[in-house]
Amino acid sequence: MFDPSADGQAEQIVQRLQQIRARIARACEESGRAPDSVKLMAVTKTVSPDRVNLALSEGVDLLGENRVQEFLSKNSSYNCEKSQIHFIGHLQTNKIRDIINKVSCIQSIDSVRRAEAVSSAAQKAGIVMPCLLEVNIGREESKSGFAPEGVLDAAGEIAALPGISLHGLMTVAPAVAGRTGDDSYFRDMQQLFLQLQKCSLPGACIDTLSMGMTGDFEMAVRCGSTLVRIGQGIFGARDVQTGLP
């Protein structure tokens, strides 16, 4: 079993968490927001359960999972409840049933068809699954998600599906945003989120704008993000040699 304290990784993770929390608080202060208005999610892709549990012991209370098979291989070793786990990666329709009872939110609904499949699986499981709509705000061919102009119509359809509770939007901004400090993508997402709130869709509770990662989370916070997803900023560079699926 991996011991994060053996090579100083425990101390590094603790220090990184302290630094990230301080940076979130500073970005909130700069934008006139309360620090507790932004949730910190630890993204666990390729991260061993030992390191995940260390982060949990340091007060992290929300995990983000990217890959179904990796998640299924690790989740029984986590020291947390399913209420603390969101699925944030691309979700194949035939994998939905594998996670429907193991996570508390699916952030990556990228089509009405995907939402219908989640709706069907949730009804069979006897639950209501909170969901976010993934928006391809940069219109990048390599990324999935709704085009910005299609979000509001899709939201109306999806909010009406049984077994789903629509809670907001998620995006991955183009890498250029973090490199150049271009906040236009986050500003566009903020405006789209506010428009969605104004729609007052029956059965929906639009309270989550999930945007911002290790390279751009402060900019996202200043643009209204309510949840930032940090992986390498907490755990360090991804270890592709972990042997995880």
Side-chain angles (χ1 to χ4, degrees), residues 83-99:
S83 61
Q84 297 173 263
I85 303 173
H86 289 194
F87 192 82
I88 63 175
H90 180 69
L91 183 58
Q92 295 177 320
T93 301
N94 64 353
K95 299 292 185 182
I96 293 172
R97 64 180 180 274
D98 294 331
I99 67 164

Side-chain angles (χ1 to χ4, degrees), residues 50 122 167 238:
D50 304 74
H167 279 258
R238 289 195 180 114

Side-chain angles (χ1 to χ4, degrees), residues 95-185:
K95 299 292 185 182
I96 293 172
R97 64 180 180 274
D98 294 331
I99 67 164
I100 199 70
N101 274 316
K102 293 181 172 64
V103 301
S104 61
C105 178
I106 296 175
Q107 293 199 14
S108 48
I109 299 296
D110 58 2
S111 68
V112 173
R113 179 183 177 188
R114 196 89 57 201
E116 290 172 341
V118 170
S119 169
S120 176
Q123 289 180 84
K124 289 178 182 177
I127 64 172
V128 175
M129 176 60 70
C131 292
L132 307 182
L133 304 189
E134 182 177 359
V135 182
N136 187 353
I137 196 63
R139 304 176 189 276
E140 298 174 274
E141 292 184 3
S142 61
K143 291 179 181 175
S144 57
F146 291 97
E149 64 273 12
V151 168
L152 299 184
D153 285 344
E157 287 188 63
I158 291 169
L161 293 172
I164 281 183
S165 175
L166 182 60
H167 279 258
L169 305 176
M170 182 269 269
T171 198
V172 178
V176 67
R179 292 197 301 266
T180 65
D182 178 6
D183 69 358
S184 61
Y185 299 104

